[in-house]
Amino acid sequence: MKKSIASLLVLFALAFFFPTASMATDYPIKVGEKLANGVANAVTGFVEIPKTMMVKGRSHGATYGMTAGFFTGLVHAVGRSLTGALDIATFLIPTTPIVNPAYIWDDFNRETTYTAWRMR
């Protein structure tokens, strides 16, 4: 009987030192950040068109930026808006942003890339 009580106390002591207690307090912050990120990306997705035109124009020339940059920007605009909508729909699951940079205004001189979801 004493062995089972001692092992139970050790189990409770070990559970106390696991980081799950501190992670639970970060949950509302992570959920709020994901919701804000989703709303911002869903609303500002169309800004990808001029951004990508500028980035492509700087690296490949103005003509390339105006043509290929426009169509690439259109694809990125749809991608950013859809990933924003997906983040809004799944904001209760705290994951990292799919789109990189997370907000369009974070690094305006870099082309947008997409990554896989990871838990925060």
Side-chain angles (χ1 to χ4, degrees), residues 23-99:
M23 289 188 324
T25 60
D26 292 342
Y27 179 75
I29 294 168
K30 291 177 183 177
V31 167
E33 287 175 354
K34 183 174 179 181
L35 181 61
N37 187 6
V39 169
N41 284 333
V43 171
T44 62
F46 69 94
V47 182
E48 281 286 346
I49 297 170
K51 173 189 169 185
T52 307
M53 288 172 67
M54 288 178 5
V55 169
K56 294 284 189 187
R58 285 185 191 135
S59 62
H60 299 291
T63 306
Y64 188 84
M66 296 294 284
T67 55
F70 174 77
F71 292 111
T72 306
L74 191 62
V75 170
H76 286 315
V78 170
R80 185 174 287 275
S81 296
L82 288 178
T83 58
L86 184 65
D87 282 345
I88 293 170
T90 61
F91 76 96
L92 292 174
I93 305 166
T95 58
T96 58
I98 296 172
V99 90

